[in-house]
Amino acid sequence: MNGAQALIRTLTRGGVEVCFSNPGTSEMHFVAALDAVPQMRGVLCLFEGVATGAADGYGRMAGRPAAVLLHLGPGLANGLANLHNARRARTPLLAVVGDHATYHKRYDAPLESDIDALAGSVSGWVRRSARSADVAADAAEGVAAALTPPGQVATLILPADVSWSDGAEPAAPLPVRAAPGVPGATVRSVSRTLRSGEPCVLLLGGAAARRPGLEAASRVAQGTGARLLCETFPARLERGAGIPAVDRLAYLGEFAAGQLSGARHLILAGARAPVSFFAYPGQPSSLVPEGCEVHVLAEPGDDVCGALAALADEAAPDAKPLLREAERPEVPDSGDLTGAAAAAVIGALLPEGAIVSDEANTSGVWLPGATAGAPPHDWLTLTGGSIGLGLPLATSAAVACPGRPVLALEADGSAMYTPSALWTQAREGLDVTTVIFSNRSYAILNMELDRVGAEPAGAAARNLLELARPGLDFVALATGMGVPAGRARTPGELAVQLRQALAEPGPHLIEAMVPPLG
Ligand SMILES: Cc1ncc(C[n+]2csc(CCOP(=O)(O)OP(=O)(O)O)c2C)c(N)n1
Ligand SMILES: [Mg+2]
């Protein structure tokens, strides 16, 4: 068989069964091979940033990689921003980047570029397959590399002649090494710190944001009085009624400093020591308070949940986790549709088992509070700060978890980076409800403009940060891509449309007309 067929068979044997794709001529043999291997589902995305963001969401929810098929350097470059988010999320992901045939490269044809350099900027593993006889073994290694704890982007560069040449055979999956356990001495040392009587904060990240990690961490907090916090942008946070609640570290450095103030010990479990997102004149970059000692219980690639469970047994053997009680806000029956009112509607209606893709930005500040006591759900966030991820994440969460309702809570400016994800949702019949927070502004940048201490902003500066001229019509955009849509101007309208969208299968979009914050 040819290299492409052996590659795809190797992937499906290794549990990689979905390929988010935007192919070109150099990938045509890969595309043709999809008919020979029906176990692989090809999902067409109309922009590479949708494909890579989708592969990220799939990996976060499925716990195994999706493949993403990209066309040479330019296709990879279009997808890089969301591969950056995937790298920050530590998502297992396999990028397959087609290249010119090996003998064609020296002619420097128009699409020739430095794929290896681009791939290296986001990938923990890069391999260029040299011969069709090697491609299956390379692919098996790539899948294992993607899955190596804590998870990473692996990129396989696939020359066209390696794809089309015969002499290839599928390869068996390779074993993946387990996350290393944390030494007992580390657990005991952290336990002594926790019982010292000095104020401690336990900062959770990565796998610790899943239910077993949260339960163990909550036992520690209940038994020792340590405060619990979670990293600002977790890849996947399990939350809701019956699960220990944990506040996320605030995005704004001033608020984060308030959350951490008074801590004498900061204990990291799968999280990194917190830093400010940006530098501001006169402000510190590190958010670790003066005089606070940092202790690493577990690195992100360690067995973080095992370490937390061992810590709970050591430091708080009799403590029980504090589980969040069920509680829902009322749907506001009057008043304007503000971000706060929209959050109350969403909190009131969020279905059990929902997967929320949160890129609501400034309009979303009330969402964590309003949904904290909703039925159990997963919360996916913008791990790398590179906007344009929310709609692709939601799309692939629905591919990875059919039967679970998916809610994309999406700011208008961010939605416009990758709106064609809606077309993929329509085409695949995915059960995704998108709420666009249409504040017609890059509202956060208006705030940042004041915070960075720039010159007082004039009309030219504000002009670069507003989206009202012309006003975007998300209802027309969505219906133009096959997604039924409506516009909500009051909390009541939002509630009616959200109930209907959640009740009907398939994708829906609601444009919620909200004012900019502040
Ligand atoms: C890829 C990328 N480009 C640009 C930015 C800078 N940026 C941060 S927030 C933002 C605008 C956000 O506007 P919107 O999504 O409407 O959210 P809002 O602030 O209005 O709540 C931009 C352009 C970024 N973070 N990532
Ligand atoms: Mg906006």
Side-chain angles (χ1 to χ4, degrees):
M1 71 179 69
N2 70 24
Q5 289 173 356
L7 165 59
I8 298 179
R9 286 185 199 281
T10 302
L11 295 182
T12 56
R13 276 196 195 178
V16 180
E17 292 163 343
V18 179
C19 184
F20 298 98
S21 310
N22 190 268
T25 306
S26 37
E27 295 78 44
M28 281 300 118
H29 285 82
F30 186 107
V31 170
L34 289 173
D35 278 299
V37 194
Q39 296 87 338
M40 177 64 85
R41 174 176 175 189
V43 176
L44 180 58
C45 300
L46 301 185
F47 175 66
E48 292 88 346
V50 174
T52 53
D56 181 1
Y58 184 95
R60 292 191 202 186
M61 290 312 302
R64 58 199 158 93
V68 58
L69 179 66
L70 303 168
H71 183 50
L72 299 110
L76 173 57
N78 275 345
L80 273 185
N82 276 337
L83 288 177
H84 160 85
N85 285 320
R87 181 175 86 85
R88 287 293 182 189
R90 305 187 185 92
T91 301
L93 189 160
L94 182 72
V96 178
V97 184
D99 194 6
H100 287 310
T102 47
Y103 60 85
H104 192 62
K105 287 186 77 67
R106 71 187 175 89
Y107 294 99
D108 194 28
L111 276 159
E112 178 63 31
S113 69
D114 193 346
I115 298 175
D116 304 69
L118 291 169
S121 67
V122 290
S123 312
W125 180 97
V126 181
R127 174 74 50 82
R128 171 179 284 280
S129 273
R131 306 179 310 156
S132 61
D134 296 340
V135 71
D138 289 339
E141 245 185 81
V143 173
L147 282 165
T148 297
Q152 61 184 344
V153 176
T155 300
L156 181 67
I157 303 172
L158 182 65
D161 53 340
V162 171
S163 259
W164 76 50
S165 298
D166 283 331
E169 286 303 324
L174 292 175
V176 177
R177 81 161 167 71
V182 167
T186 305
V187 171
R188 287 190 294 276
S189 154
V190 170
S191 172
R192 277 194 297 277
T193 303
L194 283 164
R195 289 187 308 203
S196 66
E198 296 185 319
C200 294
V201 170
L202 182 53
L203 182 64
L204 308 177
R210 305 287 300 282
R211 196 191 284 241
L214 294 168
E215 286 181 354
S218 178
R219 286 173 57 205
V220 173
Q222 290 301 106
T224 68
R227 271 184 290 150
L228 277 189
L229 284 171
C230 173
E231 61 190 346
T232 309
F233 286 131
R236 178 178 177 185
L237 174 63
E238 286 188 61
R239 60 198 298 278
I243 301 173
V246 55
D247 283 342
R248 286 156 55 189
L249 196 66
Y251 164 78
L252 293 179
E254 308 82 294
F255 294 164
Q259 289 171 299
L260 293 170
S261 82
R264 178 69 190 84
H265 300 280
L266 179 62
I267 296 157
L268 304 175
R272 295 170 64 185
V275 297
S276 163
F277 263 74
F278 296 101
Y280 300 92
Q283 301 293 316
S285 290
S286 168
L287 294 175
V288 178
E290 281 285 316
C292 175
E293 205 178 318
V294 177
H295 310 257
V296 179
L297 172 69
E299 300 278 0
D302 291 336
D303 176 11
V304 181
C305 293
L308 281 167
L311 181 63
D313 291 345
E314 179 80 22
D318 303 322
K320 299 258 176 298
L322 178 64
L323 306 181
R324 184 66 168 82
E325 277 172 22
E327 181 195 15
R328 290 214 195 237
E330 299 280 316
V331 172
D333 51 11
S334 62
D336 293 336
L337 184 55
T338 57
V345 173
I346 290 159
L349 301 181
L350 192 71
E352 175 154 8
I355 303 165
V356 178
S357 169
D358 174 11
E359 194 174 33
N361 300 352
T362 57
S363 301
V365 296
W366 298 271
L367 286 169
T371 55
H377 56 274
D378 282 287
W379 203 271
L380 313 182
T381 78
L382 185 62
T383 43
S386 176
I387 61 175
L389 179 62
L391 300 184
L393 273 189
T395 304
S396 59
V399 173
C401 304
R404 288 183 65 176
V406 179
L407 202 55
L409 304 177
E410 183 69 19
D412 51 358
S414 298
M416 289 307 292
Y417 285 65
T418 43
S420 68
L422 296 171
W423 182 87
T424 299
Q425 291 172 14
R427 185 178 218 242
E428 300 287 327
L430 300 173
D431 197 10
V432 180
T433 299
T434 298
V435 177
I436 299 285
F437 289 90
S438 193
N439 64 7
R440 306 207 152 165
S441 171
Y442 280 170
I444 193 165
L445 296 187
N446 267 304
M447 188 186 73
E448 293 284 22
L449 187 62
D450 299 328
R451 274 161 46 84
V452 292
E455 300 300 313
R462 296 286 175 201
N463 185 44
L464 284 196
L465 308 180
E466 67 89 15
L467 307 180
R469 281 177 312 112
L472 289 155
D473 182 344
F474 280 95
V475 175
L477 286 165
T479 52
M481 286 185 274
V483 172
R487 186 168 287 118
R489 297 184 183 281
T490 64
E493 286 176 10
L494 178 59
V496 167
Q497 293 180 32
L498 187 55
R499 264 194 206 100
Q500 190 183 343
L502 291 169
E504 281 178 10
H508 295 81
L509 180 141
I510 304 165
E511 181 174 11
M513 307 306 293
V514 295
L517 181 64

mmCIF file of all heavy atoms in Angstrom, residues 81 278 359-364 382 385-388 411-415 417 437 439-445 467, ligand 1:
data_model
loop_
_atom_site.group_PDB
_atom_site.id
_atom_site.type_symbol
_atom_site.label_atom_id
_atom_site.label_comp_id
_atom_site.label_asym_id
_atom_site.label_seq_id
_atom_site.Cartn_x
_atom_site.Cartn_y
_atom_site.Cartn_z
ATOM 1 N N ALA A 81 -1.787 30.030 15.389
ATOM 2 C CA ALA A 81 -2.270 30.710 16.599
ATOM 3 C C ALA A 81 -3.026 29.722 17.491
ATOM 4 O O ALA A 81 -2.850 29.712 18.711
ATOM 5 C CB ALA A 81 -3.154 31.892 16.230
ATOM 6 N N PHE A 278 0.609 40.680 31.041
ATOM 7 C CA PHE A 278 1.419 41.658 30.333
ATOM 8 C C PHE A 278 2.213 42.440 31.372
ATOM 9 O O PHE A 278 1.896 42.423 32.557
ATOM 10 C CB PHE A 278 0.525 42.623 29.533
ATOM 11 C CG PHE A 278 -0.239 41.928 28.443
ATOM 12 C CD1 PHE A 278 -1.570 41.604 28.625
ATOM 13 C CD2 PHE A 278 0.376 41.574 27.254
ATOM 14 C CE1 PHE A 278 -2.280 40.936 27.632
ATOM 15 C CE2 PHE A 278 -0.329 40.909 26.256
ATOM 16 C CZ PHE A 278 -1.657 40.587 26.443
ATOM 17 N N GLU A 359 -15.183 31.937 25.531
ATOM 18 C CA GLU A 359 -14.365 33.035 24.997
ATOM 19 C C GLU A 359 -15.238 34.296 25.013
ATOM 20 O O GLU A 359 -15.330 35.016 24.022
ATOM 21 C CB GLU A 359 -13.860 32.712 23.583
ATOM 22 C CG GLU A 359 -12.748 33.645 23.145
ATOM 23 C CD GLU A 359 -12.121 33.248 21.808
ATOM 24 O OE1 GLU A 359 -12.831 32.711 20.945
ATOM 25 O OE2 GLU A 359 -10.905 33.480 21.614
ATOM 26 N N ALA A 360 -15.922 34.479 26.143
ATOM 27 C CA ALA A 360 -16.844 35.610 26.268
ATOM 28 C C ALA A 360 -16.109 36.882 26.686
ATOM 29 O O ALA A 360 -16.698 37.968 26.656
ATOM 30 C CB ALA A 360 -17.937 35.275 27.275
ATOM 31 N N ASN A 361 -14.890 36.752 27.102
ATOM 32 C CA ASN A 361 -14.030 37.895 27.420
ATOM 33 C C ASN A 361 -14.706 38.830 28.424
ATOM 34 O O ASN A 361 -15.204 38.359 29.431
ATOM 35 C CB ASN A 361 -13.589 38.598 26.144
ATOM 36 C CG ASN A 361 -12.801 37.653 25.233
ATOM 37 O OD1 ASN A 361 -12.485 36.546 25.637
ATOM 38 N ND2 ASN A 361 -12.475 38.070 24.037
ATOM 39 N N THR A 362 -14.792 40.138 28.160
ATOM 40 C CA THR A 362 -15.298 41.045 29.196
ATOM 41 C C THR A 362 -16.760 40.766 29.541
ATOM 42 O O THR A 362 -17.184 40.974 30.680
ATOM 43 C CB THR A 362 -15.189 42.523 28.777
ATOM 44 O OG1 THR A 362 -15.889 42.700 27.551
ATOM 45 C CG2 THR A 362 -13.741 42.950 28.614
ATOM 46 N N SER A 363 -17.537 40.290 28.566
ATOM 47 C CA SER A 363 -18.956 40.021 28.862
ATOM 48 C C SER A 363 -19.114 38.807 29.752
ATOM 49 O O SER A 363 -20.209 38.538 30.247
ATOM 50 C CB SER A 363 -19.740 39.795 27.572
ATOM 51 O OG SER A 363 -19.643 40.912 26.740
ATOM 52 N N GLY A 364 -18.025 38.046 29.935
ATOM 53 C CA GLY A 364 -18.126 36.785 30.650
ATOM 54 C C GLY A 364 -17.770 36.853 32.113
ATOM 55 O O GLY A 364 -17.772 35.818 32.794
ATOM 56 N N LEU A 382 -9.471 29.849 27.072
ATOM 57 C CA LEU A 382 -8.492 30.357 26.096
ATOM 58 C C LEU A 382 -7.085 30.276 26.699
ATOM 59 O O LEU A 382 -6.515 31.270 27.134
ATOM 60 C CB LEU A 382 -8.868 31.806 25.762
ATOM 61 C CG LEU A 382 -8.061 32.516 24.685
ATOM 62 C CD1 LEU A 382 -8.203 31.817 23.346
ATOM 63 C CD2 LEU A 382 -8.505 33.966 24.569
ATOM 64 N N GLY A 385 -4.302 32.681 25.330
ATOM 65 C CA GLY A 385 -4.608 34.104 25.144
ATOM 66 C C GLY A 385 -4.732 34.544 23.702
ATOM 67 O O GLY A 385 -4.908 35.725 23.423
ATOM 68 N N SER A 386 -4.633 33.603 22.776
ATOM 69 C CA SER A 386 -4.710 33.955 21.355
ATOM 70 C C SER A 386 -6.160 33.798 20.901
ATOM 71 O O SER A 386 -6.676 32.674 20.805
ATOM 72 C CB SER A 386 -3.779 33.032 20.559
ATOM 73 O OG SER A 386 -3.908 33.294 19.188
ATOM 74 N N ILE A 387 -6.848 34.928 20.672
ATOM 75 C CA ILE A 387 -8.298 34.864 20.476
ATOM 76 C C ILE A 387 -8.654 34.248 19.117
ATOM 77 O O ILE A 387 -7.849 34.242 18.182
ATOM 78 C CB ILE A 387 -8.976 36.231 20.676
ATOM 79 C CG1 ILE A 387 -8.455 37.265 19.670
ATOM 80 C CG2 ILE A 387 -8.804 36.699 22.099
ATOM 81 C CD1 ILE A 387 -9.211 38.601 19.761
ATOM 82 N N GLY A 388 -9.877 33.722 19.060
ATOM 83 C CA GLY A 388 -10.332 33.029 17.857
ATOM 84 C C GLY A 388 -10.384 31.527 18.071
ATOM 85 O O GLY A 388 -10.415 30.748 17.119
ATOM 86 N N ALA A 411 -17.320 36.164 22.526
ATOM 87 C CA ALA A 411 -17.315 37.618 22.299
ATOM 88 C C ALA A 411 -17.285 37.899 20.795
ATOM 89 O O ALA A 411 -16.735 37.113 20.006
ATOM 90 C CB ALA A 411 -16.106 38.233 22.982
ATOM 91 N N ASP A 412 -17.858 39.044 20.412
ATOM 92 C CA ASP A 412 -18.028 39.315 18.977
ATOM 93 C C ASP A 412 -16.697 39.459 18.233
ATOM 94 O O ASP A 412 -16.515 38.887 17.152
ATOM 95 C CB ASP A 412 -18.925 40.552 18.750
ATOM 96 C CG ASP A 412 -18.504 41.793 19.535
ATOM 97 O OD1 ASP A 412 -17.526 41.735 20.319
ATOM 98 O OD2 ASP A 412 -19.176 42.836 19.367
ATOM 99 N N GLY A 413 -15.761 40.202 18.807
ATOM 100 C CA GLY A 413 -14.488 40.391 18.122
ATOM 101 C C GLY A 413 -13.760 39.069 17.933
ATOM 102 O O GLY A 413 -13.231 38.770 16.845
ATOM 103 N N SER A 414 -13.748 38.235 18.956
ATOM 104 C CA SER A 414 -13.070 36.939 18.883
ATOM 105 C C SER A 414 -13.753 36.015 17.881
ATOM 106 O O SER A 414 -13.092 35.240 17.173
ATOM 107 C CB SER A 414 -13.053 36.280 20.258
ATOM 108 O OG SER A 414 -12.333 37.080 21.168
ATOM 109 N N ALA A 415 -15.082 36.102 17.807
ATOM 110 C CA ALA A 415 -15.821 35.229 16.888
ATOM 111 C C ALA A 415 -15.394 35.458 15.445
ATOM 112 O O ALA A 415 -15.391 34.531 14.630
ATOM 113 C CB ALA A 415 -17.325 35.483 17.029
ATOM 114 N N TYR A 417 -12.578 35.924 14.126
ATOM 115 C CA TYR A 417 -11.325 35.311 13.659
ATOM 116 C C TYR A 417 -11.610 33.984 12.964
ATOM 117 O O TYR A 417 -10.916 33.624 12.012
ATOM 118 C CB TYR A 417 -10.363 35.070 14.831
ATOM 119 C CG TYR A 417 -9.690 36.322 15.359
ATOM 120 C CD1 TYR A 417 -10.427 37.326 15.965
ATOM 121 C CD2 TYR A 417 -8.312 36.487 15.251
ATOM 122 C CE1 TYR A 417 -9.806 38.473 16.451
ATOM 123 C CE2 TYR A 417 -7.685 37.632 15.732
ATOM 124 C CZ TYR A 417 -8.441 38.619 16.326
ATOM 125 O OH TYR A 417 -7.835 39.744 16.812
ATOM 126 N N PHE A 437 -21.746 37.458 22.373
ATOM 127 C CA PHE A 437 -21.893 38.665 23.196
ATOM 128 C C PHE A 437 -21.522 39.852 22.311
ATOM 129 O O PHE A 437 -20.355 40.181 22.142
ATOM 130 C CB PHE A 437 -21.005 38.586 24.433
ATOM 131 C CG PHE A 437 -21.488 37.573 25.432
ATOM 132 C CD1 PHE A 437 -21.064 36.254 25.387
ATOM 133 C CD2 PHE A 437 -22.397 37.943 26.417
ATOM 134 C CE1 PHE A 437 -21.517 35.318 26.293
ATOM 135 C CE2 PHE A 437 -22.865 37.012 27.334
ATOM 136 C CZ PHE A 437 -22.425 35.700 27.270
ATOM 137 N N ASN A 439 -21.092 43.169 21.820
ATOM 138 C CA ASN A 439 -20.936 44.497 22.441
ATOM 139 C C ASN A 439 -20.315 45.486 21.457
ATOM 140 O O ASN A 439 -20.029 46.625 21.809
ATOM 141 C CB ASN A 439 -20.134 44.418 23.748
ATOM 142 C CG ASN A 439 -18.707 43.947 23.529
ATOM 143 O OD1 ASN A 439 -18.245 43.793 22.400
ATOM 144 N ND2 ASN A 439 -17.991 43.709 24.618
ATOM 145 N N ARG A 440 -20.095 45.010 20.237
ATOM 146 C CA ARG A 440 -19.608 45.874 19.152
ATOM 147 C C ARG A 440 -18.357 46.646 19.543
ATOM 148 O O ARG A 440 -18.206 47.827 19.240
ATOM 149 C CB ARG A 440 -20.720 46.811 18.720
ATOM 150 C CG ARG A 440 -21.966 46.022 18.367
ATOM 151 C CD ARG A 440 -22.845 46.669 17.387
ATOM 152 N NE ARG A 440 -23.571 45.622 16.658
ATOM 153 C CZ ARG A 440 -24.629 45.837 15.917
ATOM 154 N NH1 ARG A 440 -25.083 47.063 15.772
ATOM 155 N NH2 ARG A 440 -25.212 44.849 15.286
ATOM 156 N N SER A 441 -17.477 45.926 20.204
ATOM 157 C CA SER A 441 -16.276 46.590 20.720
ATOM 158 C C SER A 441 -15.183 45.560 20.984
ATOM 159 O O SER A 441 -15.469 44.401 21.264
ATOM 160 C CB SER A 441 -16.637 47.287 22.039
ATOM 161 O OG SER A 441 -15.482 47.763 22.689
ATOM 162 N N TYR A 442 -13.951 45.999 20.879
ATOM 163 C CA TYR A 442 -12.829 45.310 21.499
ATOM 164 C C TYR A 442 -12.743 45.870 22.921
ATOM 165 O O TYR A 442 -11.818 46.602 23.275
ATOM 166 C CB TYR A 442 -11.528 45.606 20.746
ATOM 167 C CG TYR A 442 -11.291 44.824 19.475
ATOM 168 C CD1 TYR A 442 -10.237 45.165 18.616
ATOM 169 C CD2 TYR A 442 -12.061 43.720 19.121
ATOM 170 C CE1 TYR A 442 -9.968 44.443 17.462
ATOM 171 C CE2 TYR A 442 -11.807 42.995 17.957
ATOM 172 C CZ TYR A 442 -10.760 43.360 17.128
ATOM 173 O OH TYR A 442 -10.495 42.651 15.993
ATOM 174 N N ALA A 443 -13.749 45.530 23.722
ATOM 175 C CA ALA A 443 -13.924 46.234 24.993
ATOM 176 C C ALA A 443 -12.698 46.100 25.895
ATOM 177 O O ALA A 443 -12.285 47.058 26.553
ATOM 178 C CB ALA A 443 -15.170 45.701 25.701
ATOM 179 N N ILE A 444 -12.106 44.919 25.921
ATOM 180 C CA ILE A 444 -10.978 44.737 26.849
ATOM 181 C C ILE A 444 -9.812 45.633 26.457
ATOM 182 O O ILE A 444 -9.073 46.115 27.313
ATOM 183 C CB ILE A 444 -10.558 43.254 26.926
ATOM 184 C CG1 ILE A 444 -9.625 43.049 28.113
ATOM 185 C CG2 ILE A 444 -9.919 42.774 25.641
ATOM 186 C CD1 ILE A 444 -9.428 41.636 28.508
ATOM 187 N N LEU A 445 -9.672 45.873 25.163
ATOM 188 C CA LEU A 445 -8.547 46.719 24.746
ATOM 189 C C LEU A 445 -8.819 48.181 25.077
ATOM 190 O O LEU A 445 -7.891 48.946 25.341
ATOM 191 C CB LEU A 445 -8.261 46.520 23.247
ATOM 192 C CG LEU A 445 -7.797 45.105 22.871
ATOM 193 C CD1 LEU A 445 -7.387 45.051 21.405
ATOM 194 C CD2 LEU A 445 -6.626 44.648 23.740
ATOM 195 N N LEU A 467 -16.272 48.216 17.070
ATOM 196 C CA LEU A 467 -16.724 47.352 15.970
ATOM 197 C C LEU A 467 -18.117 47.758 15.481
ATOM 198 O O LEU A 467 -18.807 46.969 14.847
ATOM 199 C CB LEU A 467 -16.779 45.887 16.443
ATOM 200 C CG LEU A 467 -15.522 45.297 17.091
ATOM 201 C CD1 LEU A 467 -15.764 43.841 17.488
ATOM 202 C CD2 LEU A 467 -14.328 45.372 16.156
HETATM 203 C C1 LIG B 1 -4.532 36.326 17.919
HETATM 204 C C2 LIG B 1 -4.760 37.552 18.738
HETATM 205 N N1 LIG B 1 -4.823 38.742 18.127
HETATM 206 C C3 LIG B 1 -5.048 39.847 18.844
HETATM 207 C C4 LIG B 1 -5.211 39.794 20.200
HETATM 208 C C5 LIG B 1 -5.379 41.064 21.013
HETATM 209 N N2 LIG B 1 -6.720 41.141 21.561
HETATM 210 C C6 LIG B 1 -6.969 40.777 22.833
HETATM 211 S S1 LIG B 1 -8.543 40.963 23.241
HETATM 212 C C7 LIG B 1 -8.929 41.564 21.705
HETATM 213 C C8 LIG B 1 -10.306 42.004 21.377
HETATM 214 C C9 LIG B 1 -11.369 41.257 22.103
HETATM 215 O O1 LIG B 1 -12.642 41.719 21.692
HETATM 216 P P1 LIG B 1 -13.890 40.794 21.897
HETATM 217 O O2 LIG B 1 -13.551 39.423 21.515
HETATM 218 O O3 LIG B 1 -15.051 41.434 21.218
HETATM 219 O O4 LIG B 1 -14.079 40.796 23.475
HETATM 220 P P2 LIG B 1 -14.490 42.017 24.421
HETATM 221 O O5 LIG B 1 -13.206 42.619 24.854
HETATM 222 O O6 LIG B 1 -15.331 42.964 23.631
HETATM 223 O O7 LIG B 1 -15.231 41.415 25.558
HETATM 224 C C10 LIG B 1 -7.820 41.583 20.893
HETATM 225 C C11 LIG B 1 -7.826 42.046 19.483
HETATM 226 C C12 LIG B 1 -5.136 38.520 20.808
HETATM 227 N N3 LIG B 1 -5.262 38.353 22.118
HETATM 228 N N4 LIG B 1 -4.936 37.418 20.050
#
